[in-house]
């Protein structure tokens, strides 16, 4: 689990540039690839047309693994797979369930390539206007909410996958090359961290 101290440089930058405080970190869902094709290793992933988010780093990392990433709006992913524009997307269990991606991508490739972090934000401007006791209560609530959110999402992740697989909606496909995938992506991530001045954070996360 990521410690708030590790992300402090990010929180400090957000506070300085946007006057927004990051008072807690929820999340904890593990992201895997839902696909209309089966892929159990890096060789079988090669050329897989997968939807990624718009940030260029997402495309770069998926290219590094041999896949063929495409930026598509989230609400168009279902139709894009259905119509053969792409083969796959990536998300945590809650997203797969809510958007019914299992209907068009019933193979869940267990790449476990990312863990979702959901910052809990609070207006710095508003915070400064509040009395000290309320400020303290807000900071305490942020930490507690983050811990609660992580516990719920991380525990429900597996439960949701169990339920969908039991109902015959998807099939979890073991992925044998997670270490090889990380090795392929590490240089891209290291270069990106250097580019944005986040080498210290990147090294701390890698060392956990």
């Amino acid at each position: 689990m990521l410690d708030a101290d590790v992300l402090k440089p990010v929180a400090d930058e957000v506070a300085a540039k946007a006057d927004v405080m990051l008072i807690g970190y929820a999340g904890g869902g593990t992201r895997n690839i839902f696909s209309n094709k089966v892929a159990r290793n890096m060789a079988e992933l090669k050329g897989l047309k997968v939807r990624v988010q718009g940030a260029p780093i997402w495309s770069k990392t998926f290219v590094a693994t041999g896949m063929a990433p495409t930026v598509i709006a989230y609400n168009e992913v279902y139709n894009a797979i259905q119509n053969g524009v792409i083969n796959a997307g990536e998300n945590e269990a809650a997203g797969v369930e809510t958007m019914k991606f299992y209907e068009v991508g019933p193979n869940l490739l267990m790449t476990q390539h990312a863990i979702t972090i959901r910052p809990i934000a609070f207006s710095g401007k508003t915070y400064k206007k509040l009395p000290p006791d309320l400020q303290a209560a807000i900071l305490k609530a942020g930490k507690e909410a983050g811990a609660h959110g992580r516990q719920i999402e991380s525990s429900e992740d597996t439960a949701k996958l169990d339920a969908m697989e039991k109902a015959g909606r998807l099939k979890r496909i073991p992925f044998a090359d997670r270490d090889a995938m990380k090795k392929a992506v590490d240089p891209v991530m290291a270069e990106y961290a250097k580019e944005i001045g986040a080498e210290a954070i990147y090294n701390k996360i890698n060392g956990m």
Side-chain angles (χ1 to χ4, degrees):
M1 183 189 72
L2 280 181
D3 191 288
D5 289 340
V6 174
L7 298 174
K8 188 177 184 302
V10 176
D12 289 345
E13 184 173 356
V14 171
K17 292 185 176 180
D19 199 14
V20 171
M21 301 169 62
L22 303 184
I23 61 173
Y25 300 93
T30 303
R31 301 179 78 91
N32 295 291
I33 296 172
F34 53 90
S35 174
N36 60 14
K37 293 185 175 182
V38 171
R40 303 176 184 85
N41 50 52
M42 291 283 279
E44 292 178 354
L45 274 185
K46 188 174 178 61
L48 186 75
K49 293 183 289 185
V50 58
R51 180 266 178 182
V52 297
Q53 300 178 44
I57 186 60
W58 281 85
S59 292
K60 290 178 181 178
T61 53
F62 277 78
V63 165
T65 68
M67 288 182 272
T70 301
V71 176
I72 295 176
Y74 187 62
N75 62 356
E76 296 176 5
V77 174
Y78 187 105
N79 287 339
I81 297 177
Q82 190 175 47
N83 296 328
V85 176
I86 55 175
N87 304 115
E90 56 85 40
N91 213 327
E92 64 266 14
V96 174
E97 180 186 51
T98 301
M99 301 298 288
K100 298 184 178 181
F101 289 140
Y102 53 78
E103 293 180 349
V104 291
N107 303 297
L108 194 70
L109 317 181
M110 301 301 290
T111 52
Q112 298 179 308
H113 56 270
I115 294 176
T116 302
I117 300 174
R118 306 185 194 281
I120 300 171
F122 195 88
S123 165
K125 184 178 180 180
T126 300
Y127 180 84
K128 294 180 185 75
K129 295 178 181 178
L130 301 174
D133 59 335
L134 191 49
Q135 289 180 341
I138 287 168
L139 295 181
K140 183 172 182 287
K143 290 180 181 179
E144 291 178 354
H148 183 63
R150 291 193 302 273
Q151 191 279 324
I152 289 176
E153 189 164 334
S154 59
S155 61
E156 286 192 355
D157 208 59
T158 300
K160 287 180 183 296
L161 293 183
D162 287 344
M164 285 187 281
E165 189 164 40
K166 186 176 180 179
R169 292 175 174 173
L170 60 75
K171 182 177 180 180
R172 280 178 279 198
I173 309 297
F175 187 75
D177 288 343
R178 189 176 184 279
D179 288 344
M181 175 182 277
K182 185 178 184 303
K183 186 176 180 180
V185 169
D186 275 350
V188 177
M189 295 297 293
E191 181 61 30
Y192 179 66
K194 183 178 180 181
E195 179 185 322
I196 64 173
E199 290 173 284
I201 297 175
Y202 176 73
N203 291 333
K204 282 183 180 179
I205 292 173
N206 260 358
M208 293 177 69

